[in-house]
Amino acid sequence: MSSEVSAEIGERFPDVTALSTALDKTGYMAGDQLAAALFLAVRMGQPILLEGEPGVGKTQAAKSLAETLDTILVRLQCYEGISAAEALYEWNYPKQLLAIRLAEATHETLRETDLFTADFLLARPLLTALDHPGPRPAVLLIDEVDRADDEFEAFLFEMLAESSVTIPELGTRHAAVPPVVILTSNRTRDLHDALKRRCLYHWIGFPDAHRVAEIIRRRVPAASEPLAGEVAAAVARLRALGLTKPPGISEAITWAGALTVFGDDQLSADSAGRTLSVVVKYPEDEQAVRDTGLASIVGHD
């Protein structure tokens, strides 16, 4: 990160409290420890790895940070089998073919090097983030990196270490303004120590019911005060059942939103029953909930 960019960000966010307050204004309640970790990632220019179970706000942290920094968010969604080319760049083959046919039609001489220029390059998320001109760094979200394989993880480590990439036909591209990099993992597998050593780290645990209720109030303004608290408490009871997919914060927010659509200002067994599919996503989980009793889940037993 250039000294000018660093100075500007330093003025806007001189301390953790300033960044936490700015994140809070976007509707994201980071908490002291996460805000401190994100503050260090921004100020030190070092990647940060956010781990935690699905639905605790890892992806939203990156989105809110980009909004706070008033910069673009570039998201790379990882999946099994993802390749470096898919994440970095590829050549626009249809455009190259069109150029070849046009040259043939006009009897022009087209060299192979003419087809591998910046005009024919399709930037994918990683190259897009590296090429971002600024003035503030892009926020590069590498989402669910634990879904990718070991080879891709090694490639990421090298790219992040240098903030550059080599395109054989075009040479090395260095980031003018290195991005703020946030990697997320649901911990479906252990990541390599080499990647972890390169990154700052923060584990995002599931918040208590009081904090979940506050998040619901912020994200679903139409939800009444009692409804937000009751949904948060009900989600905590659901998570205690040992379900195949315990509901996360995103499900709690969606559940509260669905209840407000029905005009409910309180959570009852009846309202929970007709909206249960919003928060419980497996048939065996739904059966376990109904066996427990909806009245028990909503706290009316």
Side-chain angles (χ1 to χ4, degrees):
M1 189 179 300
S2 69
S3 58
E4 294 83 1
V5 173
S6 180
E8 181 199 357
I9 292 178
E11 289 179 4
R12 295 182 64 188
F13 307 109
D15 51 35
V16 174
T17 300
L19 180 61
S20 180
T21 300
L23 288 169
D24 192 72
K25 290 179 179 177
T26 72
Y28 189 79
M29 300 174 62
D32 293 340
Q33 291 186 340
L34 177 55
L38 293 174
F39 177 79
L40 291 175
V42 171
R43 295 294 296 272
M44 296 174 64
Q46 192 167 345
I48 182 169
L49 171 62
L50 301 180
E51 281 196 320
E53 64 181 88
V56 293
K58 301 184 297 295
T59 299
Q60 188 59 47
K63 293 179 179 179
S64 295
L65 182 62
E67 183 179 347
T68 297
L69 296 177
D70 189 22
T71 189
I72 66 167
L73 174 75
V74 181
R75 180 177 182 178
L76 172 64
Q77 177 63 54
C78 297
Y79 53 88
E80 186 177 354
I82 188 173
S83 67
E86 291 170 304
L88 189 56
Y89 73 91
E90 60 183 324
W91 294 104
N92 190 335
Y93 296 116
K95 188 175 180 180
Q96 288 174 322
L97 182 59
L98 183 61
I100 292 171
R101 290 178 177 174
L102 182 60
E104 291 174 347
T106 56
H107 305 289
E108 295 180 8
T109 300
L110 193 65
R111 296 169 300 176
E112 183 177 348
T113 54
D114 295 329
L115 295 172
F116 292 95
T117 66
D119 290 339
F120 296 97
L121 191 69
L122 293 175
R124 296 310 182 200
L126 297 183
L127 185 58
T128 298
L130 289 178
D131 280 350
H132 179 60
R136 285 173 288 279
V139 172
L140 172 60
L141 168 61
I142 303 176
D143 219 2
E144 298 184 321
V145 67
D146 53 319
R147 291 180 177 269
D149 55 28
D150 293 346
E151 290 76 11
F152 185 76
E153 191 178 327
F155 158 74
L156 277 180
F157 172 71
E158 293 180 4
M159 190 212 75
L160 295 176
E162 302 296 332
S163 286
S164 65
V165 63
T166 298
I167 302 173
E169 298 85 353
L170 300 177
T172 301
R173 306 273 280 265
H174 296 277
V177 184
V180 175
V181 182
I182 297 179
L183 302 95
T184 74
S185 167
N186 294 331
R187 214 173 187 180
T188 58
R189 69 174 178 87
D190 287 332
L191 302 177
H192 285 190
D193 289 342
L195 183 64
K196 286 188 173 182
R197 281 197 300 270
R198 173 61 184 158
C199 298
L200 301 171
Y201 180 85
H202 184 75
W203 172 268
I204 302 181
F206 195 85
D208 59 28
H210 175 76
R211 195 170 185 83
V212 173
E214 180 60 29
I215 293 171
I216 291 172
R217 293 185 191 102
R218 291 173 178 235
R219 299 295 299 275
V220 190
S224 67
E225 191 92 4
L227 180 63
E230 290 165 356
V231 168
V235 166
R237 296 186 189 99
L238 289 171
R239 291 177 60 81
L241 294 180
L243 303 178
T244 302
K245 186 186 183 304
I249 296 174
S250 58
E251 284 84 9
I253 293 169
T254 304
W255 197 11
L259 290 164
T260 61
V261 169
F262 280 115
D264 297 316
D265 55 8
Q266 288 188 315
L267 183 62
S268 65
D270 289 340
S271 62
R274 65 173 173 262
T275 56
L276 193 59
S277 62
V278 172
V279 71
V280 177
K281 306 297 178 66
Y282 284 86
E284 55 268 32
D285 285 350
E286 180 175 346
Q287 188 59 51
V289 172
R290 295 191 183 279
D291 288 346
T292 300
L294 290 173
S296 175
I297 295 300
V298 301
H300 294 167
D301 54 347

